[in-house]
Amino acid sequence: MTAVFSHGRLRLYLLKLLDDGPKHGYELIRLLEDRFLGLYAPSAGTIYPRLQRLEAEGLVSHTAAGGRKTYGITDAGRDELRQRAGELTTLEADIAASVADLSTLAGEIRSEVSGSVRDLKRELSAAARQTRRTRWEPPAPPPGPAAANGPRAGLLDEFDQRLAAFTAEVGRLARARQFSDTQLRTAIRLLDGALDGLRRLLR
């Protein structure tokens, strides 16, 4: 759970969301995710126990339909919101600041990932050129024009195609996904490992 919701503040914010109208648990999760621009989303294991405690305290109630519980705020819940209006104002300001910080961090991570992808592409391209010069070019021109189109040229074409497809796919994934810190560190380690393996192979 993000630090802005420490010390029971998520409980207060759930009351605020329910004051806008009845909602089921996953609607509350989506609203929180939207509020944090997709950079944070609480789990069901975070939301539902708090809803149950709020209900036990008489601050929310629920109706069930189609196997799904819809929660609504009670008069006692609205009284608590009014009594804690100052806390709620502070919480909203803290959420706005947290979203700004998370957005900045996400931008820095995206830049780092994009830079890693560009570096990998440059190094792989350099390795391909070096390989072409040192391993796939024979020391003397082979007799006849057919040699230029032999098996090694075919392998070189395949290598270039695989390299282009790989870098394009890595770039697409980096742009399309909102990576967690753990996923980003793992992805960077995988890229570094792949590059190290190619360096060893091409020595």
Side-chain angles (χ1 to χ4, degrees), residues 3 12 15-17 20 31 34 46 60 67 86-87 93 99-100 124 130 141 162 171 183 194:
L12 177 62
L15 287 176
K16 184 262 182 191
L17 293 176
D20 295 333
L31 285 169
D34 290 345
T46 297
V60 305
E87 291 179 59
V99 169
L124 287 174
Q130 182 65 24
R162 295 290 179 87
Q183 288 172 323

Side-chain angles (χ1 to χ4, degrees), residues 26-186:
Y26 281 97
E27 284 181 297
L28 293 167
I29 290 172
R30 284 198 299 272
L31 285 169
L32 283 161
E33 185 175 11
D34 290 345
R35 182 66 183 86
F36 282 86
L37 306 180
L39 300 173
Y40 162 75
S43 66
T46 297
I47 293 299
Y48 282 102
R50 283 167 174 79
L51 289 172
Q52 290 168 2
R53 284 197 290 272
L54 288 169
E55 187 168 20
E57 294 170 17
L59 302 178
V60 305
S61 61
H62 81 268
T63 58
R68 173 178 287 178
K69 292 181 178 181
T70 299
Y71 293 87
I73 193 169
T74 63
D75 289 340
R78 292 189 181 90
D79 287 343
E80 176 155 338
L81 276 181
R82 283 194 292 270
Q83 293 167 12
R84 301 178 64 184
E87 291 179 59
L88 186 58
T89 299
T90 301
L91 176 56
E92 287 281 15
D94 290 347
I95 289 173
S98 179
V99 169
D101 290 343
L102 287 171
S103 297
T104 300
L105 178 60
E108 291 171 355
I109 289 172
R110 281 194 292 270
S111 297
E112 181 179 341
V113 171
S114 297
S116 297
V117 172
R118 285 193 299 271
D119 291 343
L120 176 64
K121 183 176 180 180
R122 280 197 298 269
E123 296 215 29
L124 287 174
S125 297
R129 288 193 298 271
Q130 182 65 24
T131 299
R132 188 178 297 121
R133 287 194 299 268
T134 62
R135 302 191 72 166
W136 290 342
E137 288 184 1
N149 298 317
R152 290 183 178 179
L155 287 172
L156 178 57
D157 289 341
E158 182 178 354
F159 179 87
D160 287 340
Q161 291 169 6
R162 295 290 179 87
L163 173 61
F166 175 80
T167 52
E169 179 68 7
V170 170
R172 185 188 67 78
L173 289 171
R175 289 189 297 273
R177 292 286 306 275
Q178 291 287 349
F179 287 110
S180 68
D181 289 353
T182 300
Q183 288 172 323
L184 282 168
R185 292 189 188 99
T186 301

